[in-house]
Amino acid sequence: MTKFLLALHVLVAIVAVGPVTVAASMFPPAARRAHAREAGVGTVRLLHRICRVYAGISIAVPVLGVATGGAMGVLGDAWLSTSMALTAAAAGVLAAFVLPRQGELLEELTAQGSAEHRATAQLAMFTGIFNLLWASVTVLMIVRPGSTTGA
């Protein structure tokens, strides 16, 4: 059962978090292109939708992670507690900063056909923080300090 949970946890992380990471990273440049009228707002709208939908699906990642950690008997380990804290921070950045700012930029582009460069730069910064948090979680999941696997 542990291997099944771990495989499911990793698959959901790849399939759900991966698209959010990529789409969120593509959003600020796409918004700049739409502002410069080099591209339409449709791409920006699609990227925002991908982020929203896959962010919802991504909730399964920590749920499966806790189930996997429980099955492996590592819920009290420091590396897992750190990973859970970083995951919560990443989710907080996504929910509080990335998705709302994407929505605001999309509304501006739809209504006015323009968006401030400062707003897209700030969104890119928050997206970078979100991506770094997820990269840190991924490294901790692979390295697992104190692991019995020898890794």
Side-chain angles (χ1 to χ4, degrees):
M1 184 64 157
T2 301
K3 289 181 182 182
F4 173 74
L5 284 171
L6 181 59
L8 196 57
H9 171 64
V10 171
L11 282 171
V12 172
I14 292 168
V15 171
V17 178
V20 174
T21 303
V22 172
S25 296
M26 293 173 65
F27 189 96
R32 286 185 207 113
R33 282 192 303 277
H35 169 75
R37 306 229 193 288
E38 295 171 9
V41 178
T43 300
V44 178
R45 187 175 288 112
L46 175 64
L47 291 171
H48 182 56
R49 181 182 165 116
I50 289 169
C51 288
R52 280 192 345 262
V53 169
Y54 282 92
I57 297 169
S58 294
I59 293 169
V61 175
V63 170
L64 289 166
V66 169
T68 302
M72 294 173 70
V74 295
L75 281 179
D77 289 5
W79 65 270
L80 188 58
S81 298
T82 303
S83 294
M84 290 190 304
L86 291 171
T87 297
V93 168
L94 184 66
F97 299 106
V98 175
L99 293 175
R101 280 179 171 72
Q102 283 182 351
E104 291 166 7
L105 281 168
L106 183 55
E107 285 178 18
E108 288 176 25
L109 287 168
T110 303
Q112 304 165 12
S114 65
E116 290 183 30
H117 178 74
R118 181 175 182 263
T120 61
Q122 188 179 56
L123 175 59
M125 177 192 68
F126 287 124
T127 300
I129 292 168
F130 169 76
N131 290 343
L132 284 172
L133 288 167
W134 270 117
S136 299
V137 170
T138 302
V139 169
L140 278 172
M141 290 291 119
I142 294 168
V143 174
R144 297 182 327 199
S147 163
T148 57
T149 63

